[in-house]
Amino acid sequence: QVQLVQSGAEVKEPGASVKVSCKASGYTFTNYDINWVRQATGQGLEWLGWMNVNSGNTGNAQKFQGRVTMTRDTSINTAFMELSSLRFEDTAIYYCTRAPAKYCKKNGCYGGYNWFDPWGQGTQVTVSS
Amino acid sequence: QSVLTQPPSVSAAPGQKVTISCSGSSSNIGDNYVSWFQHVPRTAPKLLIYDSKNRLPGISDRFSGSRSGTSATLGISGLQPGDEADYYCGTWDTFLSAYVFGTGTKVTVL
């Protein structure tokens, strides 16, 4: 079955970086995009960004511009999300989720997303001094 | 700070029906399809509805979705204790070039 399995919990100090992995199975990894979403305790779902797995093109929410980096290793069907310059308010559960692939040409990728399915089990990232 | 507004909570007795509204604008709901997700905190969110009104295979027909103009609605009929969760709408925002989620609605079965 289609499945996304994420890496384990992380504890980081303010200013550090964290890299979360998301291993896909049960489908052709390069035929879909991966998006990243987080939820802080007591808060709602917050979208971080997308990655077209085939091209490696990415896009992110303005809030995370310059701090979030999304990559992939197609040889091991794994996507990665790195968040740098961590702050206390980055403490949250981070999820990866599969989405239909954007239409990508040489000058970029276009369109939105009609669905996210499935989701990874989540990775707790705690920023603490 | 979410661009999609939902009621904080709705509740009803078992067997009754609840509806959850999701209000947006011309650049998001007015221009793109809406998804609905069920989320029990600290577990993986679950897609219920995509393309505004289509149920994911395996999702009970007690769940229904609709969209009109810049608003969308999720209906849950025949409410069951297992339906207690947080529900989020989501869609692409063409102006922001970003995916946006609703503020979330907690469903309580009385």
Side-chain angles (χ1 to χ4, degrees), chain A residues 37 39 43-47 50 63 93 95 102 111-117 119-121 124, chain B residues 1 33-35 37 39 41-47 50-51 56 88 92 97-99 101 103:
Chain A
V37 176
Q39 184 181 42
Q43 304 296 310
L45 299 177
E46 182 176 33
W47 180 79
W50 62 268
K63 176 178 178 177
I93 299 176
Y95 298 96
K102 280 181 178 282
Y113 293 112
N114 294 352
W115 54 262
F116 290 153
D117 180 69
W119 295 60
Q121 85 277 18
Q124 174 70 54
Chain B
Q1 67 204 60
Y33 289 119
V34 177
S35 293
F37 304 93
H39 188 214
R42 307 195 73 80
T43 69
K46 181 179 176 183
L47 176 68
Y50 67 98
D51 287 359
L56 197 67
Y88 293 88
W92 187 257
S97 289
Y99 197 87
F101 287 101
T103 48

Side-chain angles (χ1 to χ4, degrees), chain B residues 1-109:
Chain B
Q1 67 204 60
S2 175
V3 300
L4 304 181
T5 303
Q6 299 178 230
S9 64
V10 296
S11 61
Q16 298 298 303
K17 179 177 181 177
V18 296
T19 59
I20 301 170
S21 60
C22 175
S23 179
S25 69
S26 59
S27 66
N28 42 66
I29 294 178
D31 196 34
N32 296 285
Y33 289 119
V34 177
S35 293
W36 287 93
F37 304 93
Q38 179 189 61
H39 188 214
V40 175
R42 307 195 73 80
T43 69
K46 181 179 176 183
L47 176 68
L48 300 174
I49 300 288
Y50 67 98
D51 287 359
S52 303
K53 60 179 176 63
N54 295 325
R55 274 186 305 276
L56 197 67
I59 297 300
S60 169
D61 59 5
R62 297 185 300 105
F63 293 91
S64 62
S66 63
R67 179 185 65 158
S68 178
T70 59
S71 293
T73 301
L74 175 71
I76 310 174
S77 61
L79 207 58
Q80 299 177 359
D83 296 332
E84 285 203 337
D86 299 321
Y87 291 81
Y88 293 88
C89 58
T91 188
W92 187 257
D93 190 298
T94 307
F95 176 73
L96 297 174
S97 289
Y99 197 87
V100 291
F101 287 101
T103 48
T105 299
K106 182 175 181 60
V107 170
T108 301
V109 181

